[in-house]
């Protein structure tokens, strides 16, 4: 699988007893040693949520799956989303009935919603993914409650992941 120029993905194992955020920040620090990273939730102002880059012209995204952290980085200001999930996951049909519990569908949807910036504030069922092997595109349909429209077409790539996991990354 070939990613777009400038897009880098790195995985780090999260050992028992080690905070997963420590692993993701260490990975980000290796990719962008000149930068600082901060997370601030727009809803509660807590120290969690989307990771923002300070001190470098770059965008990052972070995801966690059991035992692993994955980070994606591109050296430009854009929108970027990465997601990882266990290959064998149950219950996705409750939040995305058409996904029929396929973990890669969920990782693609999450990557798009993270890149979009609204995350799960958007109904995952509104994300329409069209696949062509390991590359794909997606759009977000307008919602009945928010009526928000978007003409963004998201490009995506399925990632090589550690055994038992699936992962995807998305850019506009």
């Amino acid at each position: 699988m070939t990613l777009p120029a400038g897009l880098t993905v790195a995985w780090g194992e999260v050992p028992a007893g080690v905070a997963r955020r420590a692993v993701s920040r260490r990975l980000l620090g290796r990719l962008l040693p000149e930068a600082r990273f901060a997370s601030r939730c727009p809803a509660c102002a807590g120290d969690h949520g989307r990771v923002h880059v300070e001190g470098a012209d770059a965008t990052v995204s972070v995801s966690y799956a059991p035992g692993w952290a994955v980070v994606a980085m591109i050296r430009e200001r854009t929108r970027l989303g990465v997601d990882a999930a266990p290959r064998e996951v149950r219950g996705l049909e409750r939040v995305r009935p058409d996904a029929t519990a396929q973990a890669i569908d969920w990782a693609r949807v999450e990557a798009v919603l993270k890149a979009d910036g609204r995350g799960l504030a958007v109904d995952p069922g509104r994300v329409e993914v069209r696949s062509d092997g390991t590359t794909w595109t997606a759009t977000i349909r307008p919602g009945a409650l928010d009526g928000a429209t978007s003409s963004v077409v998201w490009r995506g790539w399925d990632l090589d992941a550690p055994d038992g996991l699936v992962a995807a990354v998305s850019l506009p």
Side-chain angles (χ1 to χ4, degrees):
M1 168 239 357
T2 303
L3 296 174
L7 178 60
T8 303
V9 174
W11 289 88
E13 193 165 5
V14 179
V18 174
R20 63 189 194 171
R21 178 181 273 191
V23 174
S24 68
R25 293 304 193 270
R26 190 169 36 252
L27 290 168
L28 290 172
R30 288 182 190 143
L31 296 176
L32 292 166
E34 73 278 20
R36 295 172 310 287
F37 308 98
S39 298
R40 187 69 52 212
C41 174
C44 73
D47 185 24
H48 60 94
R50 177 180 290 277
V51 179
H52 298 278
V53 178
E54 301 167 358
D57 187 20
T59 304
V60 300
S61 184
V62 175
S63 186
Y64 304 100
W68 292 92
V70 60
V71 300
M73 181 276 298
I74 191 163
R75 284 198 172 265
E76 63 181 88
R77 297 285 179 184
T78 187
R79 295 186 278 175
L80 170 65
V82 68
D83 192 64
R87 183 174 301 283
E88 300 298 325
V89 65
R90 307 228 189 288
L92 292 182
E93 63 280 354
R94 290 178 292 177
V95 292
R96 187 170 164 83
D98 61 322
T100 60
Q102 293 180 8
I104 190 59
D105 289 345
W106 180 253
R108 290 170 175 172
V109 166
E110 269 282 339
V112 168
L113 293 176
K114 286 180 175 185
D116 173 71
R118 294 178 286 171
L120 291 176
V122 172
D123 175 359
R126 290 173 44 197
V127 179
E128 294 180 351
V129 177
R130 289 163 302 286
S131 180
D132 181 23
T134 59
T135 63
W136 45 271
T137 60
T139 55
I140 302 172
R141 290 189 323 272
L145 296 178
D146 63 17
T149 60
S150 172
S151 61
V152 176
V153 175
W154 301 96
R155 297 178 299 146
W157 298 264
D158 296 343
L159 300 173
D160 294 330
D163 286 344
L165 301 178
V166 295
V169 63
S170 182
L171 289 165

